């Protein structure tokens, strides 16, 4: 009796983009796991060549509509590095505030709209709203609070217009930021409730033994700067990135996978950031995290939803502190003097480390660009997780297993648009004696 | 339309920002979900209902042979097809490839060019199938998106202006950044819809809503040349998120030909 089954989920939902998953199981043993990306390539790195340096933040923002601020930040920092300039004081704090807004908006979207429905057995947040309208509305309101920060500081939520190399086109008045405070105060309490809510979800067992990589700053939870560190001893300046990481173009895929040169696959994103920077969280964020049953590190990717909730709280808390202390700077940007050179920037996008490198000529034209998005860095680790989850759950019925594998991928909030976008899942179960060797 | 109209969202080459605009309607999303059956919206739901669909929102441009086939299949299943955003209506920023050697691009970015299947061009949806309404913007304005959905639910044309963004910019009380500060601004040739945000933030318009109705791009180009903008910078300005939209494309080509002559 041949042991042959096929599971097909044609399109992986609730992620940002297009990809596929193919799994073959022979005699109860996993033969192959392929997580592929078939988002059509868009060639940003190629068409940036020859463009004025000032275009880099606006053009690279279009790589991802979910985290445009991250692209604007990494691009600005990298170009500023090439020109040997630094942006400090209130302008630096405003960048941090803008990033807080994006983290809140992006994490609230993922926690409430994309990921929570998996744990609670709903097809989507819209289905969930039929039973739990208040909860979904809390999520939408949190998301809106984050978007309001991006809106005030950036002009609009998706592809903000106010970021430039050197700072901003216009800085907000104290009054404009103060108006955000009442809703952010509500959001601080709602984020604490979110941590408690997600901590009660049923979490499948999965313990990852993986290299975690994130920025680490001497006294802040990382957004815009820091050294790149890992739990395996990596501790380098952003400028040394290319010496320690390598991108490989993997067969079947339009994305490039990253590896630590010496050791292999690694993980970026909320769980990595949290585990490497627990001591940099605000005291209340630490207290709430421990109260929700997270340790000082998180190695179960299914619990990343709790980490995201903690990071929403952290970002709201930070936003309130920045606004309280804000004094508008005299100029909205630091004057820019283009010169030939190579610059590198790495910031913490909601999904993890985002690295940009540009070579610029003395006329300020981009001659070379390299962009390494978080999802490309996580892809190898996602495949390892899928393998582990499959091994532990092979007895599960196909449709149930299919959903669990989708959920496993959604643990990473993968932005497949970024890594080049969703998922055509096929589980091919065969017996070696069945004679079906076409896969 | 059926008793409960069905809404579906399809994505081609894009950043997801325009369909995200629907999820960004935090105050209206659940109300919209009460009025339509969301039959296919993979970014939001794993539930997929088969076509045909009453209203389809298409995001993204056509850049592969597979997608050129897929959009024809989507059209066959669709009553009202609305394209959303600069990628779907003008080819997007990725249409910059249309002036370049794509094989060279592939070799610059990918180690194994043979795995990459791509067309030499990025083209708008309307180049491939009939489109009922084109909603512009990079990204679209979420209130305009709601207006378009509401309009088709009520069997009327969407109320979306095609005039230049200078009109709402004036109404907003902005000081004209071009006149007062000499800032290069594409506002006079760009369609309204964004809320004139760039001048409100003291920068020139970069035309993310594409060409306005009957734009006089040549005249603006002459003015900007007179203000001292270099031809190369003018070409870069016009070749942004709506580079392949005809008025911008032909004007940028003329500048390039002129500076070669």
């Amino acid at each position: 009796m041949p042991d042959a089954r096929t599971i097909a989920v044609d399109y992986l939902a609730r992620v940002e983009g297009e990809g596929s998953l193919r799994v073959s199981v022979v005699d109860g043993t996993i033969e192959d796991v392929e997580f592929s990306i078939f988002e059509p390539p868009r060639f940003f790195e190629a068409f940036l060549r020859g463009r004025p340096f000032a275009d880099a933040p606006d053009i690279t923002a279009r790589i991802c509509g979910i985290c445009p601020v991250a692209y604007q930040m990494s691009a600005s920092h990298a170009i500023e590095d090439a020109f040997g300039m630094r942006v400090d004081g209130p302008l630096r704090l405003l960048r941090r505030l803008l990033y807080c807004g994006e983290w809140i908006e992006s994490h609230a979207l993922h926690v409430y709209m994309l990921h929570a429905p998996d744990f609670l057995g709903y097809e989507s947040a819209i289905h969930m709203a039929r039973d739990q309208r208040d909860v979904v509305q809390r999520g939408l309101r949190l998301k809106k609070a984050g978007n309001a920060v991006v809106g005030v500081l950036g002009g609009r939520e998706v592809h903000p217009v106010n970021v430039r190399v050197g700072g901003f086109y216009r800085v907000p008045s104290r009054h404009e930021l103060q108006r955000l405070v009442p809703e952010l105060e509500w959001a601080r309490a709602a984020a604490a409730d979110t941590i408690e809510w997600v901590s009660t979800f049923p979490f499948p067992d999965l313990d990852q033994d993986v290299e975690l990589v994130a920025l680490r700053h001497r006294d802040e939870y990382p957004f815009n700067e820091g050294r790149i560190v890992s739990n395996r001893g990596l501790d380098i300046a952003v400028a040394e990135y290319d010496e320690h990481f390598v991108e490989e173009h993997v067969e079947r895929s339009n994305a490039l996978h990253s590896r630590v040169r010496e050791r292999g696959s690694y993980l970026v994103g909320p769980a990595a950031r949290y585990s490497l920077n627990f001591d940099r969280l605000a005291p209340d964020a630490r207290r709430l995290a421990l109260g929700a049953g997270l340790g000082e590190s998180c190695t179960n990717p299914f619990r990343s939803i709790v980490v995201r909730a903690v990071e929403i709280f952290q970002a709201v808390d930070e936003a309130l502190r920045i606004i309280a202390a804000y004094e508008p700077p005299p100029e909205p940007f630091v004057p820019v003097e283009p010169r030939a050179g190579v610059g590198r920037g790495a910031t913490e996008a909601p999904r993890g480390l985002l690295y940009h490198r540009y070579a610029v000529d003395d006329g300020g034209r981009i001659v070379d660009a390299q962009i390494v998005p978080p999802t490309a860095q996580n892809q190898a680790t996602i495949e390892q997780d899928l393998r582990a989850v499959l091994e532990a759950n092979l007895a599960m019925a196909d449709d149930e297993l299919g959903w669990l594998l989708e959920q496993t991928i959604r643990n990473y909030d993968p932005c497949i648009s970024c890594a080049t976008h969703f998922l055509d899942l096929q589980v091919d179960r065969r017996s070696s004696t069945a004679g079906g060797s076409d896969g | 339309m059926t008793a409960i109209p069905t809404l579906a969202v399809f994505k081609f080459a894009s950043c997801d920002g325009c369909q995200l605009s629907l999820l960004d309607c935090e105050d209206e999303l659940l109300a919209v979900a009460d009025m339509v059956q969301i039959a296919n919206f993979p970014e939001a739901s794993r539930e997929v209902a088969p076509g045909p669909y009453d209203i389809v929102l298409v995001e993204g441009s056509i850049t592969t042979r597979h997608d050129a086939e897929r959009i024809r299949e989507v059209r066959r299943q669709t009553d009202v097809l609305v394209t959303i955003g600069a990628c779907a209506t003008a080819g997007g920023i990725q249409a910059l490839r249309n002036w370049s050697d794509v094989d060279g691009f592939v070799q610059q970015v990918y180690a194994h060019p043979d795995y990459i299947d791509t067309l030499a061009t990025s083209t708008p949806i309307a180049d491939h199938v009939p489109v009922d309404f084109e909603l512009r913007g990079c990204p679209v304005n979420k209130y305009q998106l709601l207006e378009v959905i509401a309009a088709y639910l009520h069997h009327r044309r969407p109320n979306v202006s095609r005039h230049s963004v200078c009109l709402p910019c004036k109404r907003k009380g902005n000081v004209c950044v071009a006149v007062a500060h000499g800032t290069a601004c594409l506002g006079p040739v760009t369609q309204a819809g964004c809320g004139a945000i760039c001048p409100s933030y003291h920068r020139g318009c970069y035309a993310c809503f594409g060409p306005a109705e009957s734009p006089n791009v040549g005249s603006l180009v002459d003015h900007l040349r007179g203000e001292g903008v270099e031809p190369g910078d003018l070409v870069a300005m016009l070749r942004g998120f709506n580079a392949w939209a005809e008025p911008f494309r032909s004007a940028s080509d003329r500048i390039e030909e002129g500076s070669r002559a």
Side-chain angles (χ1 to χ4, degrees), chain B residues 163-166 186-192 205-212 215 248:
Chain B
H163 57 62
S164 131
V165 69
C166 289
L186 292 175
V189 297
T190 299
Q191 184 181 301
C205 167
Y206 61 84
C208 67
F209 271 61
F248 295 168

Side-chain angles (χ1 to χ4, degrees), chain B residues 137-217:
Chain B
C138 183
V140 295
N141 175 321
K142 64 182 185 181
Y143 299 107
Q144 289 197 332
L145 181 57
L146 286 172
E147 159 60 16
V148 170
I149 294 169
Y152 283 108
L153 286 176
H154 294 95
H155 309 282
R156 61 174 174 80
R157 290 293 293 175
N159 181 13
V160 172
S161 300
R162 298 284 184 204
H163 57 62
S164 131
V165 69
C166 289
L167 276 73
C169 194
K170 289 279 167 292
R171 281 202 296 270
K172 210 173 168 184
N174 285 335
V175 170
C176 179
V177 295
V179 173
H181 307 126
T183 304
C185 181
L186 292 175
V189 297
T190 299
Q191 184 181 301
C194 62
I197 42 182
C198 284
S200 311
Y201 281 78
H202 302 176
R203 72 179 289 192
C205 167
Y206 61 84
C208 67
F209 271 61
E213 197 169 43
S214 319
N216 193 341
V217 184

Side-chain angles (χ1 to χ4, degrees), chain A residues 14 39 41 49 51 58 62 65 123 127 140 143-144 147 152 161 169-170 249 254 365 406 417 421, chain B residues 11 15-16 24 26-27 42-44 46-47 97 108 110 112 138 200-201 203 206 233 236 239:
Chain A
R14 282 189 271 125
E39 183 79 7
R49 292 184 180 189
R51 300 288 300 201
D58 287 321
R62 268 65 181 188
E123 303 278 342
H127 293 79
L140 287 166
K143 184 168 156 330
K144 191 178 176 186
N147 271 335
V152 167
V161 302
Y169 288 92
R170 177 175 80 75
H249 181 196
N254 294 337
R365 301 260 160 194
E406 286 184 38
S417 292
H421 218 129
Chain B
K11 174 190 154 63
C15 79
D16 282 67
D24 275 349
E26 290 97 355
D27 295 334
E43 186 170 294
R46 64 192 301 279
E47 186 182 58
R97 73 173 69 184
Q108 278 176 40
Y110 296 100
H112 303 288
C138 183
S200 311
Y201 281 78
R203 72 179 289 192
Y206 61 84
D233 290 331
R239 291 185 188 165

Side-chain angles (χ1 to χ4, degrees), chain B residues 46-127:
Chain B
R46 64 192 301 279
E47 186 182 58
V48 175
Y53 308 109
D54 294 312
I55 304 175
V56 165
L57 304 176
V58 175
E59 175 190 274
S61 66
I62 303 299
T63 60
T64 65
R65 278 186 298 266
H66 172 71
D67 279 356
E69 273 307 309
R70 190 157 63 95
I71 189 60
R72 282 194 272 278
E73 180 53 36
V74 168
R75 178 70 265 191
R76 278 193 280 274
Q77 297 184 43
T78 300
D79 184 11
V80 175
L81 192 153
V82 177
T83 53
I84 58 169
C87 297
T89 61
I93 188 70
Q94 58 273 18
L96 291 179
R97 73 173 69 184
N98 302 0
W99 283 275
S100 299
D101 162 26
V102 170
D103 289 340
F105 274 17
V106 171
Q107 280 162 14
Q108 278 176 40
V109 179
Y110 296 100
H112 303 288
D114 43 316
Y115 302 151
I116 303 298
D117 174 28
T118 189
L119 293 169
T121 54
S122 170
T123 45
I125 301 300
D127 281 10

Side-chain angles (χ1 to χ4, degrees), chain A residues 119-428:
Chain A
F119 292 95
L120 303 175
Y122 292 101
E123 303 278 342
S124 76
I126 291 160
H127 293 79
M128 197 163 95
R130 289 173 197 154
D131 300 333
Q132 309 192 37
R133 201 162 179 112
D134 291 349
V135 169
V136 174
Q137 277 174 332
R138 181 176 70 196
L140 287 166
R141 188 171 164 189
L142 256 176
K143 184 168 156 330
K144 191 178 176 186
N147 271 335
V149 175
V150 179
V152 167
L153 212 44
R156 65 181 166 198
E157 299 91 340
V158 179
H159 305 324
V161 302
N162 194 21
V163 172
R164 52 164 288 167
V165 174
F168 295 87
Y169 288 92
R170 177 175 80 75
V171 291
S173 65
R174 272 187 63 80
H175 177 67
E176 280 177 283
L177 294 188
Q178 281 297 329
R179 276 187 304 203
L180 294 165
V181 168
E183 194 61 12
L184 285 171
E185 278 172 350
W186 170 86
R188 196 174 184 277
D193 292 345
T194 304
I195 297 170
E196 200 183 326
W197 175 59
V198 296
S199 74
T200 63
F201 289 177
F203 298 105
D205 285 327
L206 181 61
D207 191 48
Q208 268 178 332
D209 180 26
V210 64
E211 181 156 7
L212 307 171
V213 174
L215 289 180
R216 184 166 164 85
H217 185 267
R218 66 181 181 280
D219 42 35
E220 298 167 342
Y221 199 73
F223 283 93
N224 285 65
E225 54 182 343
R227 291 177 66 78
I228 300 171
V229 303
S230 87
N231 58 339
R232 305 267 161 91
L234 187 77
D235 184 356
I236 59 168
V238 171
E240 299 169 284
Y241 180 94
D242 285 316
E243 290 161 38
H244 295 271
F245 293 88
V246 61
E247 273 187 297
E248 286 165 1
H249 181 196
V250 180
E251 193 173 350
R252 313 176 301 268
S253 175
N254 294 337
L256 304 165
H257 286 201
S258 292
R259 293 176 191 283
V260 179
R261 227 176 257 278
E262 301 298 313
R263 290 180 292 275
S265 65
Y266 62 101
L267 175 69
V268 299
R273 217 156 38 211
Y274 174 91
S275 302
L276 294 163
N277 292 283
F278 179 81
D279 57 343
R280 298 291 188 263
L281 285 165
D284 282 348
R286 282 202 296 264
R287 180 180 53 77
L288 286 162
L290 295 174
L294 279 178
E296 297 192 7
S297 67
C298 174
T299 53
N300 180 347
F302 289 95
R303 287 185 186 271
S304 64
I305 191 170
V306 189
V307 176
R308 278 188 195 88
V310 171
E311 287 195 338
I312 296 175
F313 181 90
Q314 174 72 20
V316 175
D317 190 72
E318 176 88 26
L320 282 164
R321 278 184 275 127
I322 292 170
I323 293 172
Y326 177 64
E327 290 294 340
E331 296 296 333
F333 57 89
V334 176
V336 181
E337 286 171 36
R339 67 178 198 202
V342 176
R344 301 164 184 87
T347 68
E348 285 287 344
R351 287 155 196 78
L353 192 74
L354 170 60
Y355 173 75
H356 287 215
R357 180 182 57 79
Y358 299 95
V360 186
D361 68 19
D362 51 14
R365 301 260 160 194
I366 295 167
V367 293
D368 191 42
Q370 179 194 357
I371 296 165
V372 187
T375 298
Q377 300 177 72
N378 283 342
Q379 204 166 337
T381 301
I382 294 174
E383 287 192 1
Q384 285 169 14
D385 275 13
L386 288 167
R387 197 173 274 272
V389 169
L390 263 168
E391 268 166 15
N393 298 284
L394 274 174
M396 215 178 249
D398 282 359
D399 54 348
E400 201 184 348
L401 181 58
W403 194 335
L404 181 63
L405 294 173
E406 286 184 38
Q407 183 179 0
T408 305
I409 293 171
R410 283 193 284 269
N411 286 335
Y412 296 94
D413 188 7
C415 177
I416 305 176
S417 292
C418 293
T420 69
H421 218 129
F422 196 15
L423 206 67
D424 166 25
L425 171 66
Q426 293 193 352
V427 181
D428 179 21

